[in-house]
Amino acid sequence: GARASHVPGNAWARACSTTAWSSGIEGRRIPRGRLACYAHVIVNSYRAVALALALAGIAFAAFVEYGTPRAADVERSFGWFAYEAGPFVLVAVLAVLSPFGRSLLIVAAVLLGLEFFAYYRVFVLPPDEDAALIYLHKPFYGLLVVAVGLLAGFLFRRARPQPD
């Protein structure tokens, strides 16, 4: 009998067969390992590291919101955590869905650097009267970094196509 991978129209069997065709213009064959599937074409190390850095940023934002000392009249809230972690969530979603792994890796590293700078300025340095205001502006700076990083990734990819 015919195996399921040879049945026309069976997308799952075609996606996880021993060979696949790339979706690029050249239509080259992609050899498969014993555990490889179509995810090999989609997932690469840049995107995986970008996702890991984004998850680390979300964890650090949770630490800042729920694990740092606060004044008695300041409440902790999920809304502030979501506001602070928003750019990291966006990078995590984009790392899964977009083809710009290298630029997202750089964006995630810059966002973590911005997060560490804000933490250092507010919690490590001597208290300043307007130091905590950086946490109001930081998510907007983070969204700007994400937008510029994606634009740069798009322009570099368009100028010189290469596997990402």
Side-chain angles (χ1 to χ4, degrees):
R3 292 183 356 189
S5 64
H6 299 293
V7 176
N10 190 344
W12 168 254
R14 278 195 317 267
C16 292
S17 66
T18 56
T19 59
W21 296 90
S22 74
S23 60
I25 297 171
E26 70 278 352
R28 61 188 164 91
R29 285 176 59 134
I30 301 170
R32 302 291 172 149
R34 59 189 171 133
L35 297 177
C37 193
Y38 186 69
H40 170 72
V41 179
I42 299 169
V43 178
N44 62 27
S45 59
Y46 296 111
R47 292 171 69 181
V49 173
L51 180 62
L53 288 177
L55 293 176
I58 292 169
F60 194 74
F63 167 73
V64 168
E65 181 61 32
Y66 298 111
T68 55
R70 299 278 173 102
D73 60 342
V74 177
E75 292 186 26
R76 301 175 191 280
S77 76
F78 179 76
W80 279 112
F81 163 68
Y83 176 71
E84 293 296 327
F88 290 110
V89 172
L90 180 62
V91 168
V93 169
L94 289 173
V96 172
L97 299 177
S98 81
F100 307 116
R102 291 178 183 152
S103 60
L104 287 171
L105 174 62
I106 294 168
V107 165
V110 169
L111 286 177
L112 269 177
L114 183 62
E115 186 75 31
F116 291 144
F117 171 74
Y119 181 83
Y120 180 77
R121 175 133 192 250
V122 173
F123 296 105
V124 176
L125 290 179
D128 189 7
E129 67 182 48
D130 64 344
L133 290 178
I134 194 170
Y135 279 103
L136 290 176
H137 303 287
K138 188 180 62 65
F140 294 113
Y141 297 144
L143 291 177
L144 180 66
V145 167
V146 171
V148 169
L150 283 178
L151 178 63
F154 171 76
L155 292 176
F156 281 122
R157 190 175 181 101
R158 185 172 179 192
R160 193 170 117 199
Q162 54 182 315
D164 196 28

